[in-house]
Amino acid sequence: MKEVVETLDPVSRRLIPANIDSGTLVPLKTTLELRDNLTLGLAYITRAPNRYTNDVVTIARALAGDDAAKNLPHLRRCSKPVDLPAHLKSQFMNEGNGRQVHTGKSNWLYILLGIKDELPYDQLLRGLANVDGIRDDIFLGIIPVPLLAPTSQVQANLWSQQFWQTVYRKNNPLGPHPSNICRTTSVVSRDASVWMTLAHQVARKSREHGLGEPIGAVIIKRTVPGKFDVPKTAPTQGSELVPEATVNDVPENTAGHGVRDIGNAEIVEDAIGSEASGPGPEEKETTQIVALAGDARWYQQEKAGRTGNPMGHAALRAISMVAQKLVRTENRAENTPPIMEFEAFQDGPILDDEQVVFDAEHPCPDGYLCHDLELYLTHEPCVMCAMAILHSRMGRIVFRHRMPLTGGMSSEDRGHDACDTSPLCENGPCGGGRGLGLHWRKELNWSMLGWEWETDTIERLSVDPHLHA
């Protein structure tokens, strides 16, 4: 931990507590990972001598169309008779000239034609009748196949035994790439305990001063030597959010290294420029705190009702402080704030710790708001804050306490017994439904990596389960 503290900026070293509580990072599951991972469909297969395979495949592609022909990339197009699952061998051996096909060193292949609903049976039969090697004994079978790609080699092997030869392509079609999760987790875990401990500290101070609930937020900027930063432009509605420099900055001789969206600034494959322009022996990764905010929903108003001021949520205050520091860097003319009895947007520093961080300059004033920054929260943010975090283009998020009834980042089913002890629940438990999983939603045009921080050494900051954090 001493080495970690040495990489922090002076402001962070001044604020962090003497004792840092340790914890473990658990990657959040996406909504796709938690749905039924085995979805079956029916597909046509046929068999033909090796030399007629291309003719059969061409017929199937012509009938299915270009788009449908590219479906099921995780399934082998052709399979030798000996590689079929045992139950298919037994079934097909007794149909037509099956015994001949499955005897000795067969020169026949079973061919996956496509999804049943995408291929008209009559036309498929007529097309196969024109292939010389099988016109006299056309075999056309229907088998169940997995429609979704496997997420592990073990799952691929299991499906190969149960349905059809399945290929695992070392990725996760339902969420972040496993290698990216592993690599980024190792980076974040080095100092996650520092920032989570600091978030808990400001959360307790917020509660002690009567500002809000015991909820805290910390935003940091991580600088990795040798890694080039790609500037972000402000997103436009309906646009595909890709860094401007992504396409033009990739060298022409990088065949095989594609551009990927991983929810932070590591846009281009690591092999591009990683060794040639890598860090020197003295260069070290550094982190700098950008914003620190406690919850302030009860500030300037009496603690009445259930919600307080939603603009005083810790995550919103922290994001707004980042924005103000960016504006300050641009030396814009400051307008005299209006005199109001109640300021709805509680985005100014209130606690002394918040003021210290707010007075420090932004470490990277050229980017778009929170792009490539990391957010550490004591509690899972509500849906409103979760969408604000997404729109700010935050790179990563870590929180400790899951809020199953109101949180927006987790994807698991909401707890049916989470509100048993709440005085707000008059009609019994009100859990149920599924979380939104907003940390990784491709349809929202931005994918953010997320973790839950688990620890037994730090005080639990309990809040009402109905609370919107």
Side-chain angles (χ1 to χ4, degrees):
M1 188 57 66
K2 180 180 178 182
E3 295 179 355
V4 172
V5 173
E6 290 176 353
T7 66
L8 305 181
D9 62 292
V11 174
S12 300
R13 289 199 294 270
R14 172 182 170 183
L15 294 176
I16 60 175
N19 297 321
I20 305 298
D21 295 283
S22 61
T24 302
L25 291 175
V26 180
L28 298 179
K29 295 288 186 181
T30 69
T31 55
L32 295 177
E33 287 174 315
L34 292 174
R35 73 181 184 183
D36 292 336
N37 60 358
L38 177 57
T39 303
L40 297 179
L42 297 178
Y44 283 124
I45 66 168
T46 189
R47 58 193 178 200
N50 294 351
R51 62 181 182 274
Y52 296 112
T53 301
N54 287 335
D55 296 335
V56 173
V57 172
T58 300
I59 292 170
R61 285 178 175 172
L63 292 176
D66 293 337
D67 292 336
K70 298 177 183 178
N71 290 340
L72 308 179
H74 56 286
L75 300 179
R76 297 283 188 191
R77 171 67 77 172
C78 301
S79 176
K80 295 179 180 179
V82 295
D83 294 329
L84 289 178
H87 67 282
L88 292 184
K89 287 182 186 177
S90 300
Q91 176 184 343
F92 297 154
M93 189 176 295
N94 297 319
E95 297 183 15
N97 62 341
R99 294 198 174 276
Q100 176 185 346
V101 171
H102 287 261
T103 301
K105 294 183 179 180
S106 175
N107 65 340
W108 285 68
L109 291 176
Y110 281 89
I111 306 165
L112 184 69
L113 301 174
I115 298 300
K116 178 176 177 290
D117 294 339
E118 297 172 353
L119 296 171
Y121 178 82
D122 294 337
Q123 296 182 39
L124 183 60
L125 206 59
R126 286 197 296 269
L128 294 177
N130 293 325
V131 179
D132 293 336
I134 60 175
R135 66 175 55 182
D136 296 331
D137 187 11
I138 298 176
F139 169 82
L140 197 57
I142 299 176
I143 62 170
V145 294
L147 299 178
L148 302 176
T151 57
S152 68
Q153 187 60 56
V154 173
Q155 192 176 59
N157 294 339
L158 181 63
W159 289 356
S160 295
Q161 298 172 16
Q162 293 177 329
F163 306 106
W164 183 264
Q165 282 196 317
T166 308
V167 180
Y168 173 60
R169 302 194 181 279
K170 297 183 180 180
N171 65 357
N172 181 6
L174 311 178
H177 196 286
S179 63
N180 181 39
I181 286 288
C182 181
R183 180 176 63 252
T184 312
T185 300
S186 65
V187 172
V188 174
S189 63
R190 289 200 292 266
D191 55 9
S193 296
V194 173
W195 310 117
M196 291 303 299
T197 302
L198 185 58
H200 281 70
Q201 176 177 275
V202 72
R204 286 190 291 266
K205 289 184 177 181
S206 181
R207 177 180 56 185
E208 292 168 359
H209 286 74
L211 303 179
E213 300 294 331
I215 301 172
V218 176
I219 296 178
I220 70 164
K221 165 67 177 176
R222 189 182 303 276
T223 302
V224 180
K227 169 187 153 186
F228 59 91
D229 288 330
V230 183
K232 276 280 190 180
T233 57
T236 56
Q237 186 175 4
S239 64
E240 187 67 22
L241 199 83
V242 178
E244 286 184 344
T246 297
V247 178
N248 296 330
D249 290 357
V250 178
E252 295 181 358
N253 61 347
T254 55
H257 300 293
V259 176
R260 54 196 168 122
D261 178 13
I262 60 175
N264 50 42
E266 297 170 339
I267 303 296
V268 184
E269 291 289 352
D270 297 335
I272 302 178
S274 61
E275 297 182 2
S277 59
E282 282 115 13
E283 293 182 279
K284 295 181 179 180
E285 175 188 301
T286 59
T287 51
Q288 184 169 344
I289 190 170
V290 185
L292 175 69
D295 185 80
R297 70 186 66 203
W298 304 120
Y299 183 58
Q300 292 186 334
Q301 67 175 12
E302 294 183 6
K303 190 172 181 179
R306 296 186 180 184
T307 59
N309 176 17
M311 296 298 102
H313 290 189
L316 291 185
R317 295 186 67 227
I319 292 173
S320 183
M321 290 178 186
V322 174
Q324 291 180 74
K325 295 176 78 166
L326 290 174
V327 172
R328 188 174 66 199
T329 304
E330 296 176 0
N331 296 320
R332 297 185 187 176
E334 295 185 3
N335 297 323
T336 303
I339 299 175
M340 296 185 294
E341 294 183 0
F342 175 74
E343 172 59 44
F345 295 92
Q346 298 293 351
D347 54 1
I350 303 175
L351 298 170
D352 292 340
D353 290 354
E354 295 176 350
Q355 186 69 56
V356 170
V357 177
F358 187 76
D359 290 340
E361 294 304 317
H362 195 293
C364 184
D366 299 327
Y368 171 74
L369 197 50
C370 294
H371 174 250
D372 203 26
L373 302 185
E374 299 175 15
L375 173 62
Y376 295 81
L377 284 164
T378 55
H379 295 72
E380 179 185 3
C382 65
V383 175
M384 176 188 70
C385 291
M387 289 305 300
I389 293 167
L390 278 174
H391 284 302
S392 73
R393 288 337 191 213
M394 196 75 66
R396 301 160 184 168
I397 181 173
V398 182
F399 63 84
R400 179 189 180 187
H401 297 287
R402 185 173 294 190
M403 300 295 292
L405 298 181
T406 61
M409 289 295 175
S410 299
S411 306
E412 284 81 358
D413 290 340
R414 300 190 184 279
H416 292 269
D417 57 352
C419 54
D420 277 348
T421 60
S422 172
L424 302 178
C425 228
E426 299 175 355
N427 300 318
C430 58
R434 172 157 289 186
L436 297 176
L438 295 179
H439 74 284
W440 186 272
R441 294 293 289 270
K442 303 294 287 187
E443 64 269 28
L444 295 178
N445 221 7
W446 183 253
S447 296
M448 175 173 54
L449 298 181
W451 294 264
E452 187 175 1
W453 191 69
E454 295 183 349
T455 181
D456 295 326
T457 62
I458 195 170
E459 172 198 2
R460 290 191 63 84
L461 300 177
S462 299
V463 298
D464 191 283
H466 294 88
L467 184 79
H468 291 258

